[in-house]
Amino acid sequence: MDMYGCYGKVRLHIKQRMMLVLCGVWLVACRTGRRLPEEQVPAELKLVVWNVQTFFDAVTDGTEFSSFSKSRGLWNRERYAERVERLCAVLKQLDADVAVLLEVEHKGIIYDISNGLASESWKRAKRYRYAFFARAPDASFGCAVLSRYNLADACVHMVQTDTAGAGRLRPILQTDVVVQDRRLTLFVNHWKSKSGGEAATAPLRRLQEQLLAACIQPVLRTDTGYSAVVACGDFNRDEAEFEHRITGTGHSVVMKAADGSEVLMHSPWTAYDKTLPVQGSYYYRNRWERIDCIFSCGACSIKGFRAEYEGPWAQKNGTPYAYRLSNGQGYSDHLPVSCRIQI
């Protein structure tokens, strides 16, 4: 479902509840207590995050990039169907419990992906029965979450600013993933790109960082002691460009709110640095970048983090096999990143 918001003045934080039906299941806003029995064995899920690169459908409605207009002759229903089939094959191979997809045009594509994954529907544990999608009004694309576990308390946070004429920045999606009696609060991000210049666009990414920190803080302030938070997505800022700090609990990435308060998060790019077979998820101008991140804080831990390079979506040297509209070949200019999250 597209994100519909209200309008403000210079800067506005918009939070809106969302609902989406997938495979006959309602995603609803609800909340239960977080208190857990002390003897309960920790739950674990696999998370995959992937910027799937300008994933438009075959209908020209004016919001897609002009190169994907059917009138150009390079893009049609057949090529769209091929991309959906290719994407579903990757999701089946990666076998995530929760898949976060970025640069998806609209919710209709999520239904098509769901239908493409239907061959797994006879296996109850493999079904993606829940989904959440949002994008800013009139945006070219948004973000989606596909989940085998119930999603609850889904909402959207957004910044509106007059900085550099940016208007409404891409929203941050928030939802709880409910595993057994436990909840993981997931924040999905797709921050402003560096198109237009790194220095010129940096203030916009700082606004999105401030919003993310402000959204995480109330989750961590719950009095149960079981708040688990993961912030993931394409931050369009290399992991090394965040502020880093060594504390008594180890190495942390610092997220700063507008009031100067901070959220310290664990970064697996740093923790797994010496064991990673490929050193990034995005390859630009012959250099790896770590802009696709999975950060955690609170009562959860990340294990087995990696950029997924072993599959047809990567080239022989491990770099992404980007989609090319000219020949209809390829997957994405980003590699998927994955990990196991224990809560």
Side-chain angles (χ1 to χ4, degrees):
M1 182 177 293
D2 292 354
M3 209 290 298
Y4 299 96
C6 52
Y7 295 82
K9 295 183 179 179
V10 176
R11 184 168 183 267
L12 178 67
H13 172 201
I14 303 172
K15 179 176 179 179
Q16 180 166 334
R17 299 280 175 189
M18 308 297 296
M19 222 166 25
L20 178 62
V21 179
L22 184 61
C23 299
V25 178
W26 286 94
L27 185 162
V28 299
C30 62
R31 182 169 290 279
T32 58
R34 293 174 182 258
R35 179 66 65 184
L36 303 172
E38 294 181 359
E39 69 276 7
Q40 185 172 0
V41 176
E44 189 172 282
L45 61 86
K46 182 178 180 181
L47 172 67
V48 165
V49 179
W50 195 15
N51 182 324
V52 293
Q53 188 194 344
T54 57
F55 211 103
F56 298 110
D57 69 1
V59 178
T60 300
D61 56 21
T63 58
E64 63 279 294
F65 292 178
S66 59
S67 55
F68 282 83
S69 170
K70 292 175 69 175
S71 63
R72 297 295 182 93
L74 294 175
W75 186 241
N76 52 47
R77 185 176 297 276
E78 289 72 25
R79 286 199 169 181
Y80 167 67
E82 289 172 358
R83 284 202 82 182
V84 170
E85 182 178 359
R86 231 172 280 167
L87 174 58
C88 289
V90 175
L91 293 178
K92 291 176 183 178
Q93 183 171 336
L94 295 179
D95 193 26
D97 297 304
V98 178
V100 171
L101 305 177
L102 313 176
E103 293 199 8
V104 176
E105 184 181 13
H106 57 68
K107 66 178 182 180
I109 294 174
I110 303 305
Y111 287 108
D112 291 338
I113 293 171
S114 177
N115 289 333
L117 295 171
S119 63
E120 302 284 339
S121 62
W122 62 277
K123 303 175 184 176
R124 181 176 178 82
K126 300 290 185 180
R127 297 176 194 164
Y128 293 100
R129 297 184 293 161
Y130 307 93
F132 176 27
F133 174 86
R135 70 175 185 178
D138 302 321
S140 296
F141 39 68
C143 303
V145 180
L146 289 170
S147 177
R148 292 170 176 165
Y149 296 107
N150 183 27
L151 301 178
D153 287 345
C155 58
V156 168
H157 308 273
M158 190 173 180
V159 172
Q160 179 167 306
T161 175
D162 291 335
T163 304
R168 286 164 291 195
L169 300 180
R170 294 173 184 142
I172 296 175
L173 282 61
Q174 176 182 348
T175 186
D176 279 6
V177 183
V178 184
V179 186
Q180 299 171 15
D181 292 327
R182 305 194 174 208
R183 286 179 180 242
L184 172 71
T185 302
L186 184 68
F187 292 93
V188 177
N189 300 261
H190 189 189
W191 289 5
K192 173 66 178 176
S193 75
K194 295 180 180 177
S195 176
E198 181 175 350
T201 56
L204 303 177
R205 287 185 292 279
R206 281 197 294 272
L207 285 177
Q208 290 173 299
E209 176 187 349
Q210 291 168 0
L211 175 59
L212 176 60
C215 292
I216 292 174
Q217 286 171 334
V219 179
L220 295 178
R221 281 198 292 265
T222 58
D223 59 3
T224 65
Y226 289 103
S227 298
V229 174
V230 164
C232 64
D234 178 355
F235 291 84
N236 274 308
R237 179 196 288 173
D238 194 279
E239 189 258 9
E241 296 173 13
F242 285 88
E243 180 180 337
H244 290 243
R245 186 176 302 163
I246 304 297
T247 68
T249 57
H251 188 280
S252 298
V253 164
V254 182
M255 299 283 181
K256 291 190 174 182
D259 63 2
S261 58
E262 300 175 341
V263 175
L264 301 183
M265 308 200 77
H266 170 74
S267 170
W269 276 121
T270 299
Y272 285 84
D273 182 60
K274 297 186 184 304
T275 61
L276 294 171
V278 292
Q279 293 299 307
S281 58
Y282 184 66
Y283 198 71
Y284 182 66
R285 293 182 177 176
N286 298 316
R287 184 174 68 89
W288 280 111
E289 294 188 7
R290 297 175 170 184
I291 58 177
D292 303 294
C293 301
I294 302 174
F295 299 120
S296 68
C297 61
C300 63
S301 60
I302 291 178
K303 299 181 178 181
F305 174 84
R306 58 182 277 145
E308 298 284 357
Y309 71 101
E310 295 176 304
W313 57 88
Q315 302 187 85
K316 291 182 178 180
N317 63 356
T319 59
Y321 184 12
Y323 184 76
R324 294 287 180 261
L325 187 57
S326 58
N327 59 14
Q329 301 299 308
Y331 291 77
S332 171
D333 53 358
H334 293 244
L335 293 177
V337 292
S338 72
C339 68
R340 298 188 312 279
I341 300 173
Q342 189 175 84
I343 55 178

